[in-house]
Amino acid sequence: MEEIYAKFVSQKISKTRWRPLPPGSLQTAETFATGSWDNEENYVSLWSIGDFENLDSDGGFEGDHQLLCDIRHHGDIMDLQFFDQERIVTASSTGCVTVFLHHPNNQTLSVNQQWTTAHYHTGPSSPSYSSAPCTGIVCNNPEIVTVGEDGRINLFRADHKEAVRTIVWEVHFHPSNPDHLFTCSEDGSLWHWDASTDVPEKSLLFHQGGRTSTFLSHSISNQANVHQSVISSWLSTDPAKDRIEITSLLPSRTLSVNSLDVLGPCLVCGTDAEAIYVTRHLFS
């Protein structure tokens, strides 16, 4: 079996990616990028490998993961992708998305473009916004798609300063009955997710306009000695009770449902259809 060569870099490495080869190239991959996390200072680094068969003047392998260049990165690197052969895109725990440009003439990296607030939380506890980690990116030049813990999916273009499109969800637990979850989405859906345990053997159904259809299930293994009544329904692992009932609260799909709020039996939501929907009978 081929030998594996190790190099200790004094950083926790979160992501590694090979630089793509030019179309039609017969070369083998020899340059890769790494990103770090959980360090006092995190870095995006570019490395080169060469001929492992030859020794250099110091007796080391010529291909021993030579560092070409690196650049400091604000926050943990949650994802890293090559945009093309010269540019690298990173997703940060700070919610920032950054495009770095490699300069092969002097072997340096620089910030080419940056969206500092690509992902963020908003709400009563954060009057302006608080950052939300960007957890994943995918690139297809000239487009970059990002996802984050704020529930947003962003579409960026390399030549645009703002997101071309954002898919704007909100998720709310009922403030006094957290077994009930409410979500809205850009696709016009407004759903009530009922995981309450006071309805034994509840069927797994999706309700809309009098029609029902099987929709969703989930199960995880449970600790048998933990009493069911003290476990959140969302963490329940009893396969006999682990059911979710989903109800669409709007009579028909509309334009994007942008925001919702729940208090007691009342729900209000606003849409791009220039309509506000209100119900005072959530649990009737």
Side-chain angles (χ1 to χ4, degrees):
M1 186 178 73
E2 187 95 11
E3 290 188 59
I4 296 179
Y5 299 92
K7 187 179 187 72
F8 295 95
V9 295
S10 302
Q11 295 183 63
K12 294 181 181 179
I13 302 300
S14 60
K15 296 295 174 182
T16 59
R17 298 287 185 265
W18 289 107
R19 184 167 68 180
L21 296 173
S25 173
L26 300 179
Q27 297 176 340
T28 57
E30 60 181 27
T31 304
F32 63 91
T34 62
S36 67
W37 68 349
D38 197 25
N39 302 295
E40 290 186 5
E41 293 184 353
N42 291 301
Y43 289 88
V44 176
S45 304
L46 201 62
W47 304 82
S48 177
I49 61 174
D51 186 358
F52 285 110
E53 300 301 325
N54 297 322
L55 297 176
D56 60 22
S57 58
D58 296 325
F61 289 104
E62 288 185 352
D64 187 22
H65 309 15
Q66 299 299 318
L67 178 65
L68 296 178
C69 52
D70 59 14
I71 189 171
R72 188 175 176 181
H73 185 274
H74 185 51
D76 292 341
I77 296 172
M78 309 298 288
D79 200 1
L80 179 151
Q81 300 289 339
F82 274 92
F83 189 62
D84 51 30
Q85 287 189 291
E86 287 77 35
R87 289 176 289 182
I88 302 169
V89 186
T90 62
S92 174
S93 59
T94 67
C96 179
V97 176
T98 305
V99 181
F100 293 97
L101 178 63
H102 176 223
H103 305 274
N105 292 336
N106 56 5
Q107 292 299 350
T108 59
L109 286 166
S110 65
V111 174
N112 179 249
Q113 192 160 358
Q114 196 167 56
W115 297 277
T116 55
T117 56
H119 293 276
Y120 57 91
H121 293 296
T122 58
S125 60
S126 51
S128 54
Y129 71 89
S130 59
S131 62
C134 178
T135 56
I137 52 178
V138 63
C139 303
N140 185 19
N141 195 348
E143 297 176 333
I144 302 168
V145 177
T146 71
V147 295
E149 290 187 6
D150 55 352
R152 291 179 175 86
I153 300 175
N154 291 321
L155 172 63
F156 295 102
R157 290 181 64 96
D159 54 350
H160 285 63
K161 293 183 178 180
E162 305 293 336
V164 176
R165 186 182 181 192
T166 297
I167 301 175
V168 180
W169 283 8
E170 278 193 359
V171 179
H172 288 260
F173 285 99
H174 192 280
S176 59
N177 193 348
D179 289 347
H180 296 267
L181 181 71
F182 299 86
T183 64
C184 63
S185 175
E186 189 184 34
D187 66 0
S189 62
L190 177 67
W191 287 355
H192 171 197
W193 305 64
D194 183 0
S196 57
T197 57
D198 56 350
V199 183
E201 302 300 324
K202 179 167 63 244
S203 59
L204 181 61
L205 298 174
F206 174 70
H207 300 275
Q208 181 172 0
R211 298 173 296 166
T212 62
S213 60
T214 301
F215 191 73
L216 176 68
S217 68
H218 65 88
S219 65
I220 331 170
S221 53
N222 192 15
Q223 297 179 356
N225 60 341
V226 180
H227 195 277
Q228 183 68 31
S229 63
V230 299
I231 300 177
S232 164
S233 297
W234 304 102
L235 302 178
S236 170
T237 54
D238 184 347
K241 296 181 179 179
D242 190 23
R243 300 291 185 269
I244 298 176
E245 189 174 274
I246 304 170
T247 303
S248 175
L249 298 179
L250 295 182
S252 60
R253 289 290 176 91
T254 179
L255 297 178
S256 174
V257 181
N258 299 321
S259 184
L260 69 91
D261 198 20
V262 183
L263 185 64
C266 303
L267 179 144
V268 59
C269 73
T271 76
D272 275 352
E274 301 181 359
I276 299 172
Y277 295 87
V278 177
T279 180
R280 295 182 176 178
H281 309 286
L282 277 177
F283 304 110
S284 61

